[in-house]
């Protein structure tokens, strides 16, 4: 059954652990003896209650969250968070600091400005085509929050450690690297992640929010655009995306029970990334595009000597059972997304293919 599956290097939606997909399949027609699939049971049933509560409990254990944090499931993707964050946390007088590290940060800034909110771009890496993460940033002490994108899916850069923002809470878009390593949530007021990169299917965005952030949410917002609506109702004010949440629950179970937690996950991810970057750096046929100290563990971006060779590389890789290696349409080149579910074996097969391709075309 699984021998037709390819080595999937897609950026998102992206690979999920095979055992999770098998569990989805096996549970599909008769979920926990309900005689229904998870897409047919009521979201007000005990069956779904158990799913969402277990998903939340596992996220809290994996990230070692205390009771100050709430785990929410919101629709509209990470893109809706770009708009909800300024809507919920910025008053007319207030302002927020944003660090611009690429396409997604740029969109987050745009969504705040559309609403007439005051946004200060505290640092940007646009001067070098977003190939690095800025350091020694001066933040505004009175900012309502500092917004960063922890991993830049398109440019292949990632914050190795998080900036010191004093008492100002960090709000982070972790769509493409949440759960790739342990996380000290002390600095964060809010973390959000569209599920379809590293923790599940499309259709749901996980939001982790600290209590004090909820205190400032204004009353006069539409219900579906207010974080308090989700925190008050355990993400079930209206019908939640049940299937997506269920799959996220299974991914959290896989992280805890199969992988053994986020320390282990990081160890595996570092091994994978070192193997691939190590090979890319070992010659001059392939060139990594992100600066060394800013490289992403999740999205490895690289170029070949010409665009023709890049096209050929992507085509031949597909024929050899490796998909998703084309860079984002806005930047070109190649990109291997090597999220949690991508195995070390997949990277080994890719590196072997890259060696052979170089020998034939170098
Ligand atoms: C994919 C991605 C987004 C957009 O996510 P949607 O769920 O499609 O809105 C935002 N930020 C980052 C870092 C991403 O990788």
């Amino acid at each position: 059954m699984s021998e037709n599956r390819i080595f999937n290097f897609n950026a998102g939606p992206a690979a999920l652990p095979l055992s999770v997909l098998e569990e989805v399949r096996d549970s599909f027609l008769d979920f926990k003896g309900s005689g229904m699939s998870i897409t047919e049971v009521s979201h007000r049933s005990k069956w779904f209650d158990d799913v969402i509560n277990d998903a939340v409990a596992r996220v809290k254990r994996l990230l070692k969250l205390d009771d100050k944090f709430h785990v929410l499931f919101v629709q509209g993707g990470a893109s809706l968070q770009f708009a909800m964050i300024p809507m919920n946390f910025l008053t007319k007088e207030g302002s927020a600091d944003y660090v611009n590290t690429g396409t997604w940060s740029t969109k987050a800034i745009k969504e705040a400005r559309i609403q007439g909110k005051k946004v200060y771009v505290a640092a940007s890496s646009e001067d070098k085509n977003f190939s690095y993460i800025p350091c020694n940033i001066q933040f505004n002490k009175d900012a309502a929050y500092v917004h960063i994108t922890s991993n830049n899916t398109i440019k292949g850069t990632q914050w190795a450690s998080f900036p010191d923002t004093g008492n100002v809470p960090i709000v982070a878009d972790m769509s493409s690297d949440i759960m790739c390593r342990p996380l000290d949530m002390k600095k964060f007021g809010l973390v959000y992640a569209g599920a379809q990169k590293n923790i599940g299917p499309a259709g749901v965005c996980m939001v982790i929010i600290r209590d004090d952030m909820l205190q400032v949410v204004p009353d006069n917002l539409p219900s579906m655009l207010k974080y308090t609506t989700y925190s008050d109702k355990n993400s079930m004010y209206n019908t939640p995306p049940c299937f997506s949440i269920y799959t996220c629950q299974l991914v959290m179970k896989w992280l805890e029970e199969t992988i053994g937690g986020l320390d282990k996950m990081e160890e595996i991810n570092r091994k994978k990334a070192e193997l691939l970057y190590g090979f890319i750096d070992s010659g001059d046929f392939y060139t990594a595009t992100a600066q060394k100290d800013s490289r992403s563990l999740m999205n490895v971006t690289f170029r070949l000597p010409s665009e023709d060779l890049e096209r050929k590389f992507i085509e031949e890789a597909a024929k050899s059972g490796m998909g998703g290696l084309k860079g984002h349409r806005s930047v070109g080149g190649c990109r291997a997304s090597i999220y949690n579910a991508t195995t070390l074996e997949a990277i080994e097969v890719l590196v072997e293919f890259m060696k052979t391709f170089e020998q034939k075309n170098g």
Side-chain angles (χ1 to χ4, degrees):
M1 150 99 230
S2 55
E3 60 265 23
N4 289 333
R5 288 179 54 77
I6 66 161
F7 291 110
N8 181 353
F9 298 100
N10 276 329
L16 286 167
L18 183 59
S19 62
V20 165
L21 296 174
E22 286 169 341
E23 189 165 349
V24 168
R25 177 196 62 196
D26 293 342
S27 72
F28 200 67
L29 293 184
D30 179 12
F31 182 71
K32 306 258 175 203
S34 65
M36 297 174 276
S37 75
I38 188 69
T39 56
E40 297 170 295
V41 301
S42 166
H43 60 293
R44 308 285 176 208
S45 66
K46 165 100 170 63
W47 292 295
F48 189 71
D49 246 356
D50 288 349
V51 166
I52 196 165
N53 290 337
D54 186 61
V56 168
R58 288 183 188 277
V59 171
K60 287 188 166 177
R61 281 200 297 271
L62 282 160
L63 293 174
K64 302 187 164 59
L65 302 180
D66 62 33
D67 289 341
K68 285 202 296 290
F69 287 96
H70 305 261
V71 179
L72 316 177
F73 295 97
V74 183
Q75 298 191 56
S79 299
L80 182 63
Q81 295 306 304
F82 297 162
M84 275 176 73
I85 288 159
M87 199 180 285
N88 280 260
F89 306 126
L90 278 186
T91 57
K92 249 203 169 70
E93 301 75 39
S95 76
D97 285 1
Y98 278 67
V99 181
N100 191 359
T101 52
T103 313
W104 299 116
S105 314
T106 305
K107 288 195 172 175
I109 292 165
K110 177 182 158 205
E111 291 298 312
R113 288 193 169 145
I114 280 174
Q115 302 176 53
K117 306 286 186 181
K118 280 196 214 82
V119 165
Y120 170 66
V121 178
S124 166
S125 52
E126 195 168 6
D127 59 334
K128 291 185 180 142
N129 196 18
F130 298 117
S131 60
Y132 69 101
I133 299 291
C135 55
N136 302 321
I137 306 168
Q138 287 301 316
F139 293 106
N140 176 357
K141 280 190 198 61
D142 304 318
Y145 58 86
V146 169
H147 182 280
I148 64 167
T149 312
S150 62
N151 184 72
N152 299 280
T153 325
I154 294 172
K155 300 292 182 178
T157 62
Q158 183 179 30
W159 293 76
S161 61
F162 295 106
D164 183 4
T165 57
N167 289 326
V168 179
I170 301 179
V171 168
D173 177 359
M174 294 200 180
S175 293
S176 51
D177 70 346
I178 191 156
M179 305 282 174
C180 84
R181 57 188 176 188
L183 181 64
D184 180 0
M185 283 287 292
K186 268 196 224 72
K187 294 179 172 178
F188 295 90
L190 188 154
V191 161
Y192 63 101
Q196 72 275 16
K197 285 11 186 294
N198 213 16
I199 52 170
V204 73
C205 184
M206 186 188 286
V207 175
I208 303 168
I209 185 168
R210 215 169 57 195
D211 249 345
D212 58 297
M213 300 291 286
L214 292 168
Q215 308 308 320
V216 304
V217 172
D219 286 331
N220 62 343
L221 290 178
S223 306
M224 291 302 288
L225 299 176
K226 251 187 342 200
Y227 288 110
T228 42
T229 302
Y230 296 84
S231 59
D232 288 348
K233 301 283 184 197
N234 197 22
S235 304
M236 291 189 283
Y237 170 75
N238 74 331
T239 319
C242 299
F243 179 77
S244 298
I245 295 171
Y246 169 57
T247 311
C248 288
Q249 179 214 0
L250 296 184
V251 172
M252 297 308 137
K253 188 169 98 171
W254 172 80
L255 279 169
E256 280 199 295
E257 295 175 9
T258 306
I259 297 299
L262 297 185
D263 288 307
K264 288 274 167 50
M265 193 70 253
E266 178 176 22
E267 214 177 290
I268 297 168
N269 283 333
R270 289 203 180 277
K271 234 190 224 159
K272 284 154 51 184
E274 274 160 26
L275 177 60
L276 187 48
Y277 285 117
F279 172 69
I280 289 171
D281 290 343
S282 68
D284 48 18
F285 186 75
Y286 301 99
T287 316
T289 59
Q291 292 187 11
K292 253 186 188 155
D293 57 356
S294 303
R295 285 174 173 179
S296 167
L297 288 173
M298 300 276 97
N299 309 95
V300 179
T301 48
F302 57 97
R303 306 291 318 226
L304 274 69
S306 72
E307 285 183 17
D308 279 343
L309 278 172
E310 286 169 352
R311 260 192 298 278
K312 191 171 172 197
F313 174 83
I314 292 156
E315 216 176 274
E316 289 188 9
K319 281 189 197 137
S320 308
M322 281 160 271
L325 290 165
K326 200 168 177 333
H328 190 268
R329 59 188 186 284
S330 65
V331 297
C334 299
R335 170 177 56 176
S337 294
I338 54 172
Y339 298 120
N340 287 353
T342 305
T343 58
L344 182 61
E345 185 206 354
I347 317 291
E348 286 165 353
V349 170
L350 174 62
V351 167
E352 277 316 304
F353 170 79
M354 289 170 79
K355 275 183 197 162
T356 311
F357 187 87
E358 178 179 349
Q359 277 158 14
K360 283 197 215 144
N361 298 280

